[in-house]
Amino acid sequence: MQDRLHILEDLNMLYIRQMALSLEDTELQRKLDHEIRMREGACKLLAACSQREQALEATKSLLVCNSRILSYMGELQRRKEAQVLRKTGRRPSDSGPPAERSPCRGQVCISDLRIPLMWKDTEYFKNKGDLHRWAVFLLLQIGEHIQDTEMILVDRTLTDISFQNNVLFAEAGPDFELRLELYGACVEEEGALAGAPKRLATKLSSSLGRSSGRRVRASLETAGGSGSSPILLPTPAVGGPRYHLLAHTTLTLAAVQDGFRTHDLTLASHEENPAWLPLYGSVCCRLVAQPFCMTQPTSSGILKVQQAGELQDWVRVHGVLKGTNLFCYRQPEDTDTGEEPLFTIAINKETRVRAGELDQAVGRPFTMSISNQYGEDEVTHTLQAESRGALQSWMEALWQLFFDMSQWKQCCDEIMKIETPAPRKPPQVLAKQGSLYHEMAIEPLDDIAAVTDILAQREGTRLETPPPWLAVFTDQPALPDPCSPASVAPTPAQTHSLPWGRPRTFSLDAVPPDHSPGASHSVAPLPPKRSPQSRGLCSKGPPHTWLQSPV
Amino acid sequence: QRVEIHKLRQGENLILGFSIGGGIDQDPSQNPFSEDKTDKGIYVTRVSEGGPAEIAGLQIGDKIMQVNGWDMTMVTHDQARKRLTKRSEEVVRLLVTRQSLQKAVQQSMLS
């Protein structure tokens, strides 16, 4: 049976490759080939690795590759269909309305993703001392582009899952649909829970008779594989970790805002699922979009502008239409040198543009006027293009801009900032996480040096400053941190500030800082292994800049 | 000192004609105007010539305490900038304090 599956798999791969070749779509073909190779690599890695964490990472890569392959295949099929339709349906009656205006594309970036959790108190009392852990990651998809976040280990000391990634989609239309999927898997071997289906399978297979039993067993093995159709891309190892879809949601242009928003999650799994996590049911994120019409100049050329109010005074400028402004520079070179434009004409949703022979410009052909309303006044600029063709192209550019603004709506009010994502750190070998409470047996009770050495080895160079909790032992005031988390109970002697990024609220199980002397290993749980990135107000540490801005 | 500035229209923007520095998220020791180097308030770092701010009497080195009634002593740099550049407001009324004013107040208190 396994052989037959292998043959089917190979045939499928061949089919996929053939489709890509026949379409002569080199870019998609290249991407598909890349994913197929990545997939093979991930399969080999999965078969070879021994540690659970490595297996989790490899399985995640496998899942991402599978999803990407499926989406590329879907895209290939769509393009193939479109090609076929174009070739066959060429009758005059079929030609539709004249080419409609299509909106410009843009960049879409989602960052600061945070999913709150809701632990029930039974979770604490049920498995005391045994820290149940999960590996989770997000899959984000627009069209056929799929991106994934890093994998994060979650246990009951965390109140939410925070991803530090900035995920950027380079080209998306205003009608984009960003599908967000949360996958999770148990870190520990799925002992008793996963054993049940397998035992059931062996029982079934032995009682049903050999051939049918084997078929049932095979289908049980491949079912529940990483979310994709099992026959097409079966998961290789049965004993390996399995990711389950925990929740999903879809975000569109309406959700875009230059700030944080909370969206509802559709939960997809239930308590019997071994990888089930108590999700609160929402996700917070910052979803921004930068349409290209805002960031790139859409039109430029020589214009003569009539000074508002003076009939005969026309100024020759180099106009550049970018975003919601028409910048008028003295010379074309000024755009590059960073010189301020002579003046700027605003173009927004309320601007009115007229072309043709105007009263204000008697005797001057190829003119257009742009009017804006400022409070009670109306300001009109009259511009003259160099030729009829130039006027046409300016009008066209302006109409396109108005169309884009109507499509991209709130994204055109102001340019939303997109931070360039930091280069992805190579996946580190995960040390088993847990609080110091569980793992470190510090024999010499008061040996601070031993503690810091162990920590330093584990964390590498992340602890630049001596951790503030050290002050607990040396009776020195902790370094003042501009943002000490409000939730850590302030103990009398020293308020304990934590050395990492976003303030974390600690749930019941987290060990509070214990100031009693002699209790050497009661310190706060280990900071997450990600190095804190500066985000927002609280996490920068002492500020090093003194910015100045013009107003 | 109360200063009233009428914003000038320049293209799409309403500008005031000065620059600000400071904020609770900034490093106050780099502030050249403050006497107390831990002061994280908003200071005027530059005044454009002939701009609305200069005409209204704003001076470089002034510390801005309030803008149209909004407090500016405990804000981040970006919040301060936003409060000054609200598009819906044509006029901003600032409450500022100056070294010379501070000294005058101190002297009158001592005498």
Side-chain angles (χ1 to χ4, degrees):
Chain A
M1 189 65 197
Q2 280 296 100
D3 301 330
R4 271 189 233 161
L5 279 175
H6 280 310
I7 293 173
L8 273 175
E9 193 189 331
D10 287 338
L11 276 176
N12 280 320
M13 287 298 151
L14 198 61
Y15 170 66
I16 294 169
R17 282 206 170 96
Q18 288 285 61
M19 269 243 288
L21 272 169
S22 72
L23 256 188
E24 292 161 351
D25 196 331
T26 45
E27 199 219 327
L28 207 52
Q29 188 188 326
R30 198 174 35 83
K31 285 203 269 200
L32 206 51
D33 267 344
H34 175 76
E35 288 306 319
I36 292 173
R37 263 181 280 125
M38 290 277 287
R39 185 176 175 273
E40 282 163 5
C43 288
K44 290 203 186 89
L45 188 62
L46 191 58
C49 66
S50 50
Q51 283 201 356
R52 182 78 178 177
E53 280 87 6
Q54 287 173 344
L56 282 169
E57 278 285 352
T59 315
K60 169 182 170 254
S61 316
L62 193 62
L63 197 154
V64 175
C65 288
N66 285 346
S67 312
R68 283 200 178 123
I69 290 176
L70 281 175
S71 75
Y72 289 149
M73 262 195 30
E75 179 65 21
L76 270 178
Q77 279 185 329
R78 265 192 299 276
R79 293 192 192 176
K80 184 91 184 170
E81 271 176 34
Q83 210 179 53
V84 167
L85 280 174
R86 254 181 284 139
K87 281 188 189 152
T88 55
R90 276 291 181 78
R91 270 178 289 163
S93 54
D94 275 352
S95 58
E100 281 183 15
R101 205 176 278 281
S102 62
C104 68
R105 317 284 283 177
Q107 286 189 326
V108 173
C109 177
I110 185 168
S111 59
D112 303 300
L113 289 145
R114 188 170 62 88
I115 299 177
L117 299 167
M118 189 174 61
W119 300 105
K120 293 200 279 248
D121 38 5
T122 48
E123 180 68 26
Y124 300 103
F125 303 127
K126 220 189 342 170
N127 8 13
K128 229 182 164 60
D130 170 26
L131 203 61
H132 214 175
R133 293 187 302 152
W134 291 263
V136 296
F137 69 95
L138 278 174
L139 213 59
L140 300 138
Q141 177 173 14
I142 289 189
E144 78 266 16
H145 300 285
I146 293 185
Q147 302 217 29
D148 59 322
T149 61
E150 54 183 352
M151 185 181 81
I152 291 192
L153 293 179
V154 172
D155 57 42
R156 62 174 184 262
T157 61
L158 293 182
T159 54
D160 39 25
I161 310 173
S162 302
F163 293 99
Q164 306 282 39
N165 311 76
N166 261 16
V167 177
L168 181 70
F169 291 93
E171 258 204 46
D175 53 352
F176 71 87
E177 280 192 7
L178 174 58
R179 187 172 161 84
L180 196 146
E181 290 175 346
L182 179 69
Y183 287 93
C186 265
V187 174
E188 279 74 39
E189 294 290 329
E190 299 164 5
L193 289 162
K198 261 201 246 165
R199 270 185 269 126
L200 198 59
T202 33
K203 265 214 183 121
L204 272 177
S205 61
S206 53
S207 59
L208 281 177
R210 286 227 202 99
S211 54
S212 44
R214 246 186 280 135
R215 252 183 277 135
V216 168
R217 191 172 186 159
S219 64
L220 271 177
E221 277 175 11
T222 55
S226 34
S228 57
S229 98
I231 297 301
L232 184 56
L233 302 161
T235 44
V238 175
R242 203 158 289 163
Y243 280 97
H244 304 266
L245 177 66
L246 297 177
H248 65 89
T249 184
T250 309
L251 302 170
T252 60
L253 189 65
V256 171
Q257 188 185 306
D258 196 356
F260 293 96
R261 278 182 76 165
T262 308
H263 309 276
D264 289 324
L265 271 179
T266 317
L267 300 179
S269 70
H270 47 86
E271 286 210 39
E272 274 115 48
N273 195 316
W276 181 79
L277 265 181
L279 300 169
Y280 185 74
S282 52
V283 56
C284 310
C285 64
R286 182 174 174 263
L287 180 64
V288 294
Q290 260 185 11
F292 290 141
C293 64
M294 295 293 287
T295 50
Q296 294 165 6
T298 43
S299 183
S300 62
I302 306 282
L303 286 171
K304 290 208 180 71
V305 185
Q306 181 190 44
Q307 293 290 71
E310 291 153 65
L311 279 167
Q312 294 309 316
D313 199 357
W314 289 74
V315 179
R316 190 162 180 276
V317 296
H318 177 82
V320 176
L321 181 64
K322 185 165 121 172
T324 51
N325 290 312
L326 176 61
F327 299 103
C328 299
Y329 293 95
R330 206 172 294 132
Q331 291 158 352
E333 296 79 41
D334 284 348
T335 50
D336 301 320
T337 56
E339 283 272 323
E340 294 281 321
L342 271 182
F343 50 87
T344 309
I345 304 176
I347 316 261
N348 51 40
K349 295 188 258 259
E350 281 107 54
T351 309
R352 286 192 333 271
V353 178
R354 281 191 336 266
E357 298 295 323
L358 301 163
D359 306 326
Q360 299 103 309
V362 174
R364 283 188 180 248
F366 322 131
T367 49
M368 59 181 173
S369 83
I370 300 177
S371 309
N372 277 309
Q373 199 90 9
Y374 289 108
E376 304 240 326
D377 313 315
E378 183 179 314
V379 179
T380 303
H381 296 270
T382 314
L383 304 103
Q384 182 191 22
E386 288 186 296
S387 63
R388 185 169 302 281
L391 181 66
Q392 292 274 39
S393 73
W394 276 105
M395 294 307 291
E396 172 65 30
L398 284 169
W399 293 136
Q400 178 70 36
L401 183 62
F402 284 131
F403 183 71
D404 290 339
M405 287 202 287
S406 71
Q407 295 293 304
W408 282 101
K409 303 197 180 98
Q410 71 268 27
C411 307
C412 288
D413 292 336
E414 246 188 47
I415 297 187
M416 299 183 183
K417 232 177 21 153
I418 288 183
E419 292 171 12
T420 44
R424 281 276 286 275
K425 302 183 179 56
Q428 299 159 354
V429 175
L430 306 166
K432 176 158 180 167
Q433 283 210 93
S435 56
L436 286 173
Y437 191 69
H438 291 282
E439 288 185 294
M440 280 174 37
I442 306 173
E443 278 320 306
L445 282 179
D446 295 314
D447 198 338
I448 314 300
V451 172
T452 42
D453 276 351
I454 295 174
L455 274 183
Q457 273 166 26
R458 207 179 312 186
E459 296 266 282
T461 52
R462 237 181 319 265
L463 299 172
E464 309 103 53
T465 54
W469 54 257
L470 209 53
V472 170
F473 299 101
T474 56
D475 280 329
Q476 275 164 18
L479 296 164
D481 198 347
C483 177
S484 31
S487 57
V488 175
T491 41
Q494 297 115 8
T495 33
H496 182 109
S497 19
L498 301 161
W500 65 88
R502 203 171 298 161
R504 285 168 56 186
T505 48
F506 288 100
S507 43
L508 277 180
D509 201 47
V511 182
D514 186 349
H515 292 276
S516 60
S520 59
H521 47 245
S522 54
V523 289
L526 211 54
K529 72 169 179 62
R530 315 183 279 290
S531 49
Q533 290 174 15
S534 54
R535 193 167 299 275
L537 174 59
C538 289
S539 53
K540 273 205 185 104
H544 301 293
T545 55
W546 201 70
L547 291 176
Q548 299 180 35
S549 338
V551 295
Chain B
Q1 170 112 3
R2 293 188 182 274
V3 176
E4 190 172 285
I5 304 180
H6 294 260
K7 293 190 192 175
L8 173 72
R9 234 176 264 137
Q10 200 182 60
E12 154 108 311
N13 309 310
L14 292 173
I15 64 161
L16 294 153
F18 65 96
S19 296
I20 54 163
I24 52 178
D25 56 337
Q26 305 295 316
D27 180 9
S29 58
Q30 297 181 34
N31 183 346
F33 304 108
S34 55
E35 268 211 5
D36 174 13
K37 287 306 169 189
T38 62
D39 182 0
K40 292 188 172 181
I42 306 293
Y43 281 80
V44 176
T45 56
R46 189 181 69 88
V47 177
S48 321
E49 274 204 29
E54 189 184 33
I55 295 172
L58 192 67
Q59 292 182 14
I60 186 172
D62 284 352
K63 176 178 171 185
I64 304 182
M65 316 285 281
Q66 284 182 13
V67 172
N68 282 350
W70 291 99
D71 173 64
M72 296 289 261
T73 56
M74 276 277 131
V75 291
T76 66
H77 188 89
D78 209 42
Q79 283 171 344
R81 190 186 53 79
K82 283 193 174 138
R83 292 224 181 109
L84 283 162
T85 54
K86 280 200 189 315
R87 285 192 197 185
S88 52
E89 294 171 354
E90 292 255 338
V91 179
V92 282
R93 292 181 179 83
L94 310 181
L95 179 65
V96 304
T97 181
R98 219 166 269 158
Q99 299 287 0
S100 50
L101 287 175
Q102 283 173 344
K103 292 210 173 81
V105 167
Q106 279 173 355
Q107 281 190 339
S108 66
M109 278 179 11
L110 288 172
S111 59

